[in-house]
Amino acid sequence: MTEEHAEHILSYGKLTTVWVALLVLTAATIMVTRVELGVWKVWAALAIASVKSGLVIAFFMHMKYEPRLFRIILFVALFTLASFIGGTFFDVLYR
Amino acid sequence: MSHLEKDSFGAKLGMWLFLFTEMLLFGGVFILYSVYLTRYPKEFGLGGHQLDLVYGATNTVVLLTSSLFAAMSVTAIKSGAKKLTLGLLSGTVGCAFIFLGIKYLEWSAKFHHGIYPNSPKLIAGPPGESIFFGLYYLTTGLHGIHVIVGAVLMTWTAVMVQKERLNANDNVTLENVTLYWHLVDLVWIFIFPLYYLIL
């Protein structure tokens, strides 16, 4: 198994680029929520947080270079969490 | 001496499975937050405006930087740069201390204003407000415990690197500890907008 997945080492430059992107997105989320956008600012902030998480998981946590099995269980976990949230809101909003 | 082949694939898979349970744990707290937000939007708004955006934003930058150091330490150990690995791990632990220091200042300012779980001020106020601050202390407290655990693990890993028990050929423990650290960062990426920005 290990021979098939040769060690992939991320360069310092690539990691720094991801860090800069994360800082820019943080600044963006602060700016977006200081403007009066009503309910849209919630969606904008959560969308930016999701993009930031994606970057952290893909590069810092190396997910982009892991075997497919890791991504499958990641999606199972996220789907489970999304179902919990969806189910809860179905109850909260339509009770 | 017996030859022990480490199964780094299995070790990482196990770590990821553990991290998923952590995601579900914090996910549960976020569900509570969003349900009570729909029930008490006004009180949550008032509560959120009492949090200090400067503290929150600074801690976000501190955690993102600590994550960068942690990710770089994996690159460093795999390239056999022991000194650099130790430096980067110290940087991560340093950031953890800065984060906790800022959190301490933030919490003590709130305590000073009579805002803490079961405080007379919160009991006298509207229920939505005490729920907001209850969730705030629960979420950031649970996250803070993870920061402390992460810092302890990171220090232990650095000792292993120093003793060369972890090296260029055998470093899955360091990788797993950094994965845990990134999870701490991931959770904060959601705490920051939910508590400090959108209300």
Side-chain angles (χ1 to χ4, degrees), chain A residues 2-74:
Chain A
T2 36
E3 269 74 43
E4 288 170 35
H5 306 285
E7 283 272 50
H8 185 282
I9 304 178
L10 275 148
S11 71
Y12 298 116
K14 199 166 197 175
L15 292 171
T16 309
T17 310
V18 172
W19 175 71
V20 171
L22 289 169
L23 292 182
V24 170
L25 286 169
T26 304
T29 190
I30 294 173
M31 283 191 283
V32 139
T33 49
R34 294 309 96 185
V35 191
E36 230 12 273
L37 291 172
V39 73
W40 285 106
K41 75 177 178 185
V42 177
W43 293 110
L46 287 178
I48 294 174
S50 305
V51 173
K52 285 170 76 181
S53 316
L55 284 174
V56 170
I57 293 174
F59 295 99
F60 284 0
M61 299 176 92
H62 220 260
M63 186 55 100
K64 193 165 181 272
Y65 310 97
E66 298 293 357
R68 185 183 294 161
L69 174 65
F70 284 59
R71 279 185 294 281
I72 293 172
I73 50 175
L74 172 65

Side-chain angles (χ1 to χ4, degrees), chain A residues 7 10 34 41 53 66, chain B residues 12 75 78 84 190 197-198:
Chain A
E7 283 272 50
L10 275 148
R34 294 309 96 185
K41 75 177 178 185
S53 316
E66 298 293 357
Chain B
K12 268 200 264 181
T75 303
K78 286 187 174 171
L84 185 58
F190 283 94
L197 294 178
I198 65 168

